[in-house]
Amino acid sequence: MQSVTTFAASLCVLLAAHPRASLASVSVGPVPEDVKAVMGWGDLYANVFGANIVARGVAESKVQHAANVMASYLDNDNDGKCDDSKVCDMLIENTAMLVMFQTSDDADEFLESADMLWYGINMMLNGEPWYQDLYGDETHPDSCAFKSAGVSTDEDCTDEFDATLEEVLHLLTSGGVSQVYEDDWGESEDSTFGGYMADLNGDCGNGYTHDWIDPSSDDCDGWYAYDDETCDFECLCAEGLYWSLTSLLGAQVYREDDISHEWTLANATKLAKHAADLTAMLQDTESWSWLPANLVSEGKRAPLTRLHPIDVDDTDDATGTNAGATRQ
């Protein structure tokens, strides 16, 4: 069994051995010996530009899907290099880890086990990883989100949303982007992005302030409000970045009625109409190379719709399509 005092050095060696990744090269396998002191509880592992995926009791195909989504976010042009090295460096510094169990009950059972006690001690001695959970029963590679975004033409897709698109993005933005670019993308009211989230909330309130109002109703003036009482403003920024970016990329269109009690700008047209400055920020890949230009699934790439100008006077507000758009 590896001594806990050697874990930090071993982790650095392991991450240095994985400087490149792409959809064609990310592989899933056993947990490497060098990181078993903290991650040995898993039976499957992947390393994507230094960010870790550790899974226990989850089908390998779903772990591979999570790795592919992570690689497509971090290397959206698929050239084998992290699109923003500062973000990837921060993920490495924070020991970013996507933790996968099949169900939340499976996770709770492990967290209460004697095995977790040992790994918990190692984490305290070596620095607790920055982790985000994702469950196998919410991982849906055949989700209609990919068809909605133009990645897939599968007519038999499931209406279940693929939580991989959300949870992987949370790990990368909260554990990387928001810390590297705190003034612009930081998860606070003082950042540029945080200001946009406050604007979108209007007077609809939120759960943590105990004044939430459904933003799709006529009872408040706003576009985004979350009724979860445990989700503070920092959390609202993380959720808002997920909602706005995946809406711009087309993943939310097919279920916009189902999510309107929280987020009402589920397509690119509505986002451009009601949050023009935010949309411009999300489209500015020249200033922010970490921003993905499209969604990728199982090697298939969506059209670069996010690079199109969005003409709100020549669009279908229900679908977010833009017949007159041209590639910039």
Side-chain angles (χ1 to χ4, degrees):
M1 185 173 294
Q2 182 184 14
S3 167
V4 295
T5 58
T6 64
F7 170 71
S10 298
L11 181 61
C12 290
V13 171
L14 174 71
L15 298 183
H18 294 273
R20 297 173 67 88
S22 68
L23 286 177
S25 66
V26 174
S27 60
V28 173
V31 177
E33 290 293 331
D34 287 342
V35 295
K36 278 191 173 180
V38 169
M39 305 181 199
W41 53 266
D43 48 45
L44 289 172
Y45 174 88
N47 183 292
V48 185
F49 298 107
N52 306 277
I53 301 176
V54 188
R56 181 185 180 102
V58 180
E60 183 172 347
S61 60
K62 293 195 172 187
V63 182
Q64 184 67 64
H65 174 67
N68 290 347
V69 168
M70 186 178 292
S72 72
Y73 276 143
L74 291 174
D75 176 22
N76 199 238
D77 60 7
N78 200 31
D79 66 353
K81 302 176 183 178
C82 179
D83 292 334
D84 190 324
S85 60
K86 292 180 180 178
V87 170
C88 285
D89 287 346
M90 181 60 71
L91 294 171
I92 292 172
E93 181 179 333
N94 286 333
T95 316
M97 183 190 305
L98 186 71
V99 175
M100 298 186 70
F101 290 89
Q102 179 57 26
T103 68
S104 59
D105 288 342
D106 292 339
D108 290 341
E109 181 179 349
F110 175 73
L111 290 173
E112 296 170 359
S113 69
D115 285 345
M116 181 57 204
L117 178 61
W118 188 83
Y119 289 112
I121 293 172
N122 284 352
M123 289 180 188
M124 286 189 291
L125 292 174
N126 293 282
E128 184 175 357
W130 190 288
Y131 68 90
Q132 175 67 48
D133 52 1
L134 171 67
Y135 301 117
D137 63 0
E138 61 179 0
T139 301
H140 302 289
D142 57 346
S143 171
C144 290
F146 296 104
K147 181 182 177 184
S148 177
V151 183
S152 170
T153 58
D154 184 7
E155 296 295 334
D156 297 322
C157 60
T158 177
D159 285 340
E160 296 287 343
F161 188 77
D162 181 22
T164 312
L165 293 173
E166 176 178 3
E167 308 306 345
V168 170
L169 190 61
H170 284 334
L171 178 68
L172 305 183
T173 57
S174 294
V177 174
S178 66
Q179 297 180 49
V180 174
Y181 304 113
E182 188 173 358
D183 291 343
D184 302 284
W185 298 97
E187 296 175 347
S188 76
E189 296 182 63
D190 296 328
S191 74
T192 302
F193 183 80
Y196 291 152
M197 292 300 98
D199 291 343
L200 285 179
N201 181 247
D203 62 357
C204 293
N206 284 293
Y208 85 102
T209 49
H210 308 292
D211 56 355
W212 174 84
I213 301 173
D214 186 338
S216 66
S217 71
D218 295 327
D219 299 327
C220 67
D221 185 15
W223 307 100
Y224 169 43
Y226 196 13
D227 63 353
D228 185 347
E229 295 185 358
T230 68
C231 189
D232 59 12
F233 193 84
E234 180 178 340
C235 165
L236 290 170
C237 286
E239 295 290 333
L241 183 49
Y242 149 69
W243 281 125
S244 57
L245 183 56
T246 56
S247 294
L248 190 60
L249 297 179
Q252 304 292 349
V253 177
Y254 81 101
R255 64 174 192 149
E256 60 181 332
D257 290 341
D258 295 333
I259 62 178
S260 63
H261 63 286
E262 180 178 340
W263 176 257
T264 64
L265 306 179
N267 65 63
T269 301
K270 289 181 178 179
L271 196 66
K273 275 186 178 181
H274 305 295
D277 290 342
L278 170 60
T279 302
M281 188 177 187
L282 292 169
Q283 289 182 310
D284 188 5
T285 54
E286 290 189 9
S287 298
W288 311 109
S289 58
W290 70 268
L291 283 165
N294 57 18
L295 292 183
V296 182
S297 176
E298 315 314 308
K300 297 178 181 178
R301 187 171 296 273
L304 290 172
T305 52
R306 199 174 58 72
L307 299 183
H308 294 169
I310 302 171
D311 185 351
V312 297
D313 295 325
D314 186 27
T315 53
D316 179 352
D317 195 57
T319 64
T321 59
N322 182 358
T326 56
R327 174 97 176 258
Q328 284 183 324

